[in-house]
Amino acid sequence: MKNVTLSHRVEYWLLMLAIFILRCLPLSLASGFMGWSWRLIAPRLKRQKRAMAHLRLAFPDKSDRELHAITLGMWDNLGRTFAEAILADRIVSRMEELVVQPENYRQVVSEIKRSGGVIVSLHSGNWELGGAISSYNGFDCAVVMQELKNPLVHDYMIRKRGQTFSGGVFVKGDRAGMRALTSVSGGKAVAIMGDLRDVKGVPVDFFGRSAPTNTFPARLARKKGAPLVALQIRRKNGIHFEVQAEIIPMPHTDDIEEDILVATSAVHARFEEWVRQVPEQWMWAHRRWG
């Protein structure tokens, strides 16, 4: 473990206090309260400026008033996602009631059970529910996550995600690629967040701008001969969700790098379509375009 500072300890215990309070509340109330809190506080923080800048470029025809309304929805969604991740066990116990799983997603699940899969998702709706939904559907799913700055919070998140991601939690920089490679097989999948900036990645069009992108999900799927699945857990209303999933066609030509680029671009075309449908559910505040 990295050196733990006083600020790390304070941050960690504040998190534990927030978790204690949330677990004392009913699921719907906890989600709504955190959404309301983030909507109230977050627009006053510096990331609001970045979110507005990204939105102006993505939606040049919208007014600042319209874009500001999108950011309020974004912060509300992020607050709700935090609370729901803490209370994921309660969502699991009400899965049929709260999460719509269309027939096409059930077909994707059947394909993963046959040959494994690489699930690439984005920070939209409630992405934290992926592990719970995969376990509910009877297949092991591992997840690749970034190392968090606070080592205490990092260790907590590994334990927390390990409760739902039954295939394991792999941290970038700790042989995550090799561990993911050996995990993809019949009945097992690896989930990777594909909408983060990767300074060493390839440029892919996203909202008409070049975005440096990690090609590892497509590369892994092509190497293993497993389906590449673009997936979003879209918020329908409050604590109700719908799984949206699509198997992305994988070219198999003599040019492996071009095949991987084509598949990665197709994933992001689907991501953009989903984000345009509900822009208030995507995390505009992160540095996507560099």
Side-chain angles (χ1 to χ4, degrees):
M1 180 184 291
K2 292 182 178 179
N3 291 334
V4 178
T5 66
L6 177 60
S7 62
H8 287 151
R9 295 185 187 279
V10 171
E11 181 183 21
Y12 174 76
W13 285 110
L14 287 174
L15 173 63
M16 293 301 104
L17 176 61
I19 290 171
F20 174 79
I21 294 172
L22 289 173
R23 295 205 66 88
C24 291
L25 301 175
L27 174 61
S28 183
L29 180 59
S31 173
F33 172 72
M34 287 305 296
W36 173 82
S37 299
W38 283 48
R39 177 187 286 260
L40 180 68
I41 298 170
R44 295 169 170 79
L45 305 178
K46 62 181 181 180
R47 289 198 174 189
Q48 171 73 5
K49 183 178 180 180
R50 185 190 301 159
M52 285 293 293
H54 287 165
L55 281 163
R56 290 188 186 105
L57 292 170
F59 299 103
D61 296 333
K62 292 186 180 294
S63 67
D64 270 13
R65 184 172 183 175
E66 291 174 304
L67 299 179
H68 182 75
I70 291 174
T71 66
L72 293 181
M74 174 192 72
W75 295 123
D76 181 274
N77 183 70
L78 286 170
R80 285 179 174 273
T81 296
F82 171 78
E84 292 152 2
I86 298 302
L87 305 176
D89 55 310
R90 299 184 191 176
I91 294 178
V92 170
S93 67
R94 300 168 59 186
M95 188 70 74
E96 291 296 329
E97 172 194 355
L98 300 180
V99 182
V100 176
Q101 300 180 60
E103 179 58 31
N104 80 303
Y105 175 64
R106 298 189 186 278
Q107 293 172 357
V108 168
V109 169
S110 296
E111 182 66 25
I112 290 175
K113 288 181 177 180
R114 281 194 298 270
S115 55
V118 179
I119 299 171
V120 57
S121 191
L122 70 166
H123 292 85
S124 181
N126 190 331
W127 61 92
E128 293 285 357
L129 296 179
I133 293 172
S134 61
S135 295
Y136 182 82
N137 281 281
F139 67 91
D140 290 333
C141 186
V143 65
V144 178
M145 64 171 281
Q146 291 185 317
E147 184 177 14
L148 303 179
K149 294 180 180 179
N150 185 325
L152 297 175
V153 176
H154 176 81
D155 288 348
Y156 169 79
M157 290 305 300
I158 288 181
R159 294 193 302 272
K160 185 66 180 176
R161 286 176 175 159
Q163 293 172 3
T164 54
F165 283 98
S166 54
V169 181
F170 308 150
V171 180
K172 287 185 177 180
D174 184 22
R175 299 181 296 110
M178 183 59 67
R179 295 171 73 186
L181 181 65
T182 58
S183 295
V184 177
S185 60
K188 297 182 180 180
V190 171
I192 303 168
M193 301 308 296
D195 62 335
L196 295 172
R197 179 184 63 163
D198 184 347
V199 294
K200 296 180 180 179
V202 300
V204 170
D205 182 82
F206 191 54
F207 281 88
R209 300 167 61 201
S210 179
T213 302
N214 183 3
T215 61
F216 179 70
R219 188 177 302 277
L220 178 60
R222 192 184 188 285
K223 183 174 182 63
K224 298 291 289 188
L228 177 64
V229 181
L231 184 140
Q232 175 184 224
I233 303 169
R234 176 174 173 173
R235 188 180 303 278
K236 294 183 67 180
N237 182 39
I239 58 173
H240 292 262
F241 306 91
E242 179 178 8
V243 181
Q244 296 178 301
E246 178 181 326
I247 295 179
I248 302 298
M250 176 63 69
H252 284 82
T253 71
D254 292 336
D255 191 337
I256 296 176
E257 295 304 317
E258 180 63 20
D259 292 348
I260 291 168
L261 177 59
V262 168
T264 302
S265 297
V267 167
H268 278 72
R270 175 58 65 205
F271 282 179
E272 180 173 335
E273 181 178 328
W274 285 338
V275 173
R276 286 187 180 277
Q277 291 171 0
V278 280
E280 67 277 10
Q281 292 192 25
W282 190 60
M283 197 164 65
W284 293 95
H286 68 188
R287 292 187 177 93
R288 180 62 187 96
W289 289 273

